């Protein structure tokens, strides 16, 4: 159905895509994999009309395909379900308006039959497993619901080719299974699906073929049945991955941060926990368990209905995040583009923002000091960027996350809260993240690691607290924790602890 042949693309003389050959068959789910910076996003932006290629050709159903802009791609039957949902949805429009958006932008629409549109939107929503009033504003929906709205939009357009860009990142296990069911349904209808993900088990669960890119080139294309996760990782990194979770044994000291009976509505219900110096405490749970809400309470982003937070035995009153930062508590939030970085500011500005006063004299920023700090952080974190002036929005997801973490390092914080830190992060950047967290623990920092990725939790945490329905329902030592045990309690299988 689709052939991208001899595709070349350069930015400022730097080759991003080098003679790419990529094809997708009708009724096929084809994985496109690679570490951050491999070129897969650039290739898909060419397919969807965001970029123009320098050389090569696109063929759709054997005919030359001209894609000058995203509208050309949509009209040709090419749709993309993006990872960053808030960049492509309109929060103040309704569910119906967001799903049927392309109907309004195609031109020639004079009268709108809202009843018919809402009826069709409801039918499409049901097909993707989402049951919500179509008159609701998108701003009222959860992150996972927004993701399903994007998928529904693609279904509404009866696309020939659908690019799924990290679609499962915000989804629970049951929601992801619904998505895979939908992908298989599209496959049965002859739709070609391109699946981009960093979760390799998903690839082997749903994909027919796998193409791996590295450094702007295609390294391999294989049938999923004929390869394995270690082989794919070796192609992605150019080496074997080795130990995915480089856990280090470090001395664990006294209690740094302690919470007792924290409550907020129905999302956080009487949570008590503690983290010690040098300890990594994992908070495991499925999407909707209350992990993010708990992290926001500990960071002062939300006010609790009840309960106490103590730092080294002293009770804190956190009215806003500034209070938490002042006491040495910092958060790397789940939605990094929305809350963790200033996407349209430079790398240098992001990395030095929390400590700007240290680089200022009489209110004037000393740029030489600022650059010195920022360059040191870029080197320590391994941020891949052309320079400190690069906009963070133009970095890959893994490098954006490194910036979101790196800005806190000069603050000398003692407690680090990580909420889903590897969401949308490739396997190489993920390993860098685990090493950094291990370094923080070795420095005597307390780390609370919130994640629905059970394998990560069991690999990195010293102690694991399982959340379900706003409560801590089980505490497990590193030795006791298995993926099956955690999933059992996270799914509501155990009694409240």
């Amino acid at each position: 159905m689709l052939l991208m042949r001899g595709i070349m693309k350069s930015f400022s003389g730097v080759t991003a895509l080098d003679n790419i050959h990529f094809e997708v068959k009708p009724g096929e789910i084809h994985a496109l994999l690679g570490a951050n910076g491999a070129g897969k996003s650039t290739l898909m932006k060419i397919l969807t009309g965001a970029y123009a290629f320098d050389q090569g050709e696109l063929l759709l159903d054997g005919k030359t395909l001209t894609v000058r802009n995203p509208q050309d791609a949509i009209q040709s039957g090419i749709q993309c379900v993006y990872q960053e949902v808030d960049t492509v949805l309109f929060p103040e429009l309704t569910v119906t308006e967001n799903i049927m958006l392309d109907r309004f932008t195609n031109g020639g629409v004079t009268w709108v039959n809202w009843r018919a549109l809402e009826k069709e939107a409801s039918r499409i929503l049901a097909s993707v497993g989402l049951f919500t009033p179509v008159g609701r504003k998108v701003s009222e929906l959860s992150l996972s619901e927004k993701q399903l709205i994007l998928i529904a939009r693609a279904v509404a357009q009866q696309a020939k080719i659908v690019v799924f860009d990290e679609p499962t990142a915000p989804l629970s296990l049951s929601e992801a299974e619904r998505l895979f069911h939908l992908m298989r349904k599209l496959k049965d209808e002859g739709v070609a699906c391109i699946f981009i993900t960093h979760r390799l088990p998903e690839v082997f669960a749903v994909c027919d073929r796998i193409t791996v890119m590295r450094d702007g080139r295609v390294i391999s294309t294989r049938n999923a049945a004929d390869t394995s996760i270690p082989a794919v990782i070796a192609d992605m990194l150019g080496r074997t991955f080795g130990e995915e979770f480089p856990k280090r044994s470090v001395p664990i000291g006294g209690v740094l941060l302690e919470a007792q009976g924290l409550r907020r509505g129905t999302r956080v219900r009487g949570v008590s926990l503690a983290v010690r110096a040098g300890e990594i405490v994992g908070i495991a749970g499925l999407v909707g368990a209350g992990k993010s809400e708990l992290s926001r309470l500990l960071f002062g982003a939300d006010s609790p209905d009840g309960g106490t937070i103590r730092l080294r035995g002293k009770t804190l009153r956190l009215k806003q995040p500034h209070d938490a930062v002042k006491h040495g508590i910092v958060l790397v939030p789940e939605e990094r583009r929305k809350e963790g970085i200033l996407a349209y500011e430079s790398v240098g500005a992001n990395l030095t923002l929390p400590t700007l006063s240290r680089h200022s004299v009489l209110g004037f920023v000393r740029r030489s000091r600022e650059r010195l700090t920022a360059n040191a952080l870029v080197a320590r974190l391994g941020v891949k960027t052309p320079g400190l002036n690069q906009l963070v929005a133009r970095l890959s997801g893994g490098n954006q996350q490194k910036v979101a973490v790196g800005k806190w390092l000069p603050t000398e914080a003692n407690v680090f809260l990580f909420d889903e830190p590897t969401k949308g992060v490739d396997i190489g950047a993920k390993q860098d993240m685990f090493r950094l967290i291990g370094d923080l623990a070795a420095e005597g920092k307390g780390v609370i690691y919130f994640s629905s990725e059970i394998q990560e939790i069991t690999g990195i945490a010293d102690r694991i607290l399982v959340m379900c329905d706003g409560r801590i329902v089980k505490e497990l030592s590193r030795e006791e924790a298995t993926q099956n045990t955690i999933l059992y309690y996270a799914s509501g299988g155990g009694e409240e602890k």
Side-chain angles (χ1 to χ4, degrees):
M1 179 175 285
L2 172 72
L3 174 60
M4 306 181 76
R5 183 162 57 195
I7 303 295
M8 304 285 291
K9 179 67 179 176
S10 297
F11 295 98
S12 303
V14 177
T15 300
L17 298 177
D18 186 2
N19 195 29
I20 295 295
H21 183 97
F22 178 67
E23 63 179 35
V24 185
K25 300 175 183 178
E28 175 185 42
I29 303 175
H30 195 132
L32 181 61
L33 307 179
N36 285 337
K40 58 188 187 297
S41 293
T42 301
L43 186 64
M44 290 300 98
K45 285 179 179 178
I46 287 173
L47 177 62
T48 55
Y51 290 163
F53 54 85
D54 300 330
Q55 288 181 235
E57 62 178 338
L58 304 182
L59 298 174
L60 183 65
D61 293 327
K63 299 177 182 178
T64 299
L65 173 65
T66 301
V67 182
R68 295 159 296 188
N69 51 54
Q71 193 63 31
D72 285 347
I74 291 169
Q75 290 178 350
S76 299
I78 300 167
Q79 285 277 349
C80 187
V81 177
Y82 294 95
Q83 174 191 349
E84 303 289 353
V85 295
D86 288 317
T87 64
V88 288
L89 289 176
F90 292 86
E92 294 309 309
L93 296 184
T94 66
V95 170
T96 295
E97 289 166 335
N98 273 275
I99 291 175
M100 302 300 183
L101 187 65
D102 295 319
R103 304 277 181 93
F104 303 113
T105 58
N106 283 341
V109 176
T110 305
W111 300 100
V112 177
N113 185 336
W114 286 107
R115 180 172 294 181
L117 278 183
E118 289 176 350
K119 185 176 180 180
E120 187 175 356
S122 295
R123 178 185 61 78
I124 294 168
L125 277 185
S127 74
V128 302
L130 179 59
F131 300 93
T132 189
V134 294
R136 288 181 71 187
K137 289 185 177 181
V138 163
S139 59
E140 300 171 5
L141 302 181
S142 69
L143 188 60
S144 60
E145 289 172 330
K146 292 175 184 177
Q147 183 74 70
L148 292 173
I149 295 297
L150 275 185
I151 297 167
R153 183 191 290 177
V155 172
Q157 295 304 309
Q158 298 180 329
K160 293 181 178 180
I161 299 169
V162 180
V163 181
F164 291 90
D165 184 5
E166 291 284 351
T168 60
L171 303 183
S172 68
L173 292 176
S174 61
E175 289 166 337
E177 279 302 319
R178 280 206 302 270
L179 170 65
F180 297 151
H181 175 75
L182 173 62
M183 291 173 71
R184 293 184 185 105
K185 181 180 175 184
L186 293 173
K187 170 185 171 178
D188 291 342
E189 294 170 357
V191 176
C193 298
I194 301 172
F195 186 33
I196 300 173
T197 182
H198 295 307
R199 297 175 173 178
L200 296 184
E202 295 179 346
V203 172
F204 287 87
V206 75
C207 292
D208 300 296
R209 284 196 296 165
I210 301 169
T211 290
V212 177
M213 295 182 64
R214 187 175 74 242
D215 298 330
R217 297 181 177 90
V218 170
I219 301 301
S220 63
T221 296
R222 300 188 181 104
N223 292 326
D226 299 332
T227 187
S228 64
I229 288 179
V232 168
I233 291 173
D235 284 345
M236 289 170 64
L237 300 181
R239 62 186 187 279
T240 58
F241 188 69
E243 186 185 6
E244 185 174 358
F245 305 101
K247 179 64 179 167
R248 296 160 59 182
S249 296
V250 302
I252 294 178
V255 172
L256 285 176
L257 183 72
E258 186 177 12
Q260 286 287 337
L262 277 186
R263 294 182 289 106
R264 182 175 171 86
T266 60
R267 304 308 298 270
V268 180
R269 304 196 284 180
V271 168
S272 299
L273 59 85
V275 60
R276 296 167 173 80
E279 185 181 33
I280 302 173
V281 175
I283 308 291
L286 305 179
V287 172
K291 303 185 303 300
S292 293
E293 291 81 359
L294 176 59
S295 72
R296 290 176 61 84
L297 291 178
L298 295 173
F299 188 55
D302 292 327
S303 299
D305 297 332
T308 59
I309 299 172
R310 290 192 290 271
L311 184 69
R312 292 194 173 96
K314 179 183 177 181
T315 299
L316 303 181
R317 295 189 64 188
L318 304 178
K319 297 181 179 179
Q320 55 187 340
H322 174 74
D323 298 332
V325 175
K326 184 173 63 176
H327 289 292
I329 304 168
V330 297
L331 169 67
V332 179
E334 177 182 9
E335 296 192 60
R336 61 174 170 266
R337 285 181 68 97
K338 211 173 158 185
E339 301 173 335
I341 57 173
L342 298 175
Y344 292 97
E345 293 290 340
S346 69
V347 170
N350 272 270
L351 287 171
T352 57
L353 186 61
T355 54
L356 199 57
S357 61
R358 297 184 190 177
H359 312 299
S360 305
V361 177
L362 299 177
F364 294 93
V365 177
R366 298 289 296 273
R367 297 301 178 189
S368 58
R369 293 184 186 180
E370 187 182 30
R371 284 194 299 271
L372 194 65
T373 297
N375 277 320
L377 289 170
V378 166
R380 176 179 176 182
L381 296 162
V383 179
K384 294 181 180 178
T385 176
L388 296 180
N389 292 327
Q390 174 79 326
L391 296 183
V392 176
R394 295 181 180 171
L395 301 182
S396 65
N399 286 303
Q400 289 181 15
Q401 188 71 319
K402 289 178 182 180
V403 171
V405 176
K407 70 180 183 182
W408 295 126
L409 299 183
T411 66
E412 300 175 359
N414 290 307
V415 178
F416 284 76
L417 312 174
F418 290 88
D419 187 11
E420 300 287 0
T422 62
K423 188 175 84 172
V425 171
D426 80 89
I427 202 161
K430 185 182 292 188
Q431 190 177 47
D432 292 340
M433 192 67 61
F434 295 147
R435 287 200 180 105
L436 173 62
I437 291 172
D439 289 343
L440 292 173
E443 293 168 9
K445 312 295 186 184
V447 176
I448 305 181
Y449 190 97
F450 302 82
S451 182
S452 55
E453 298 288 344
I454 296 175
Q455 185 182 10
E456 293 180 11
I457 287 280
T458 57
I460 199 170
D462 298 293
R463 189 161 49 91
I464 297 166
L465 306 178
V466 185
M467 280 194 80
C468 178
D469 197 23
R471 296 186 175 95
I472 301 292
V473 295
K474 187 67 176 178
E475 178 176 330
L476 299 165
S477 68
R478 181 175 174 82
E479 292 71 29
E480 294 172 325
T482 66
Q483 293 189 54
N484 288 343
T485 303
I486 293 172
L487 187 58
Y488 172 75
Y489 286 103
S491 302
E495 297 294 326
E496 181 180 354
K497 182 176 169 63

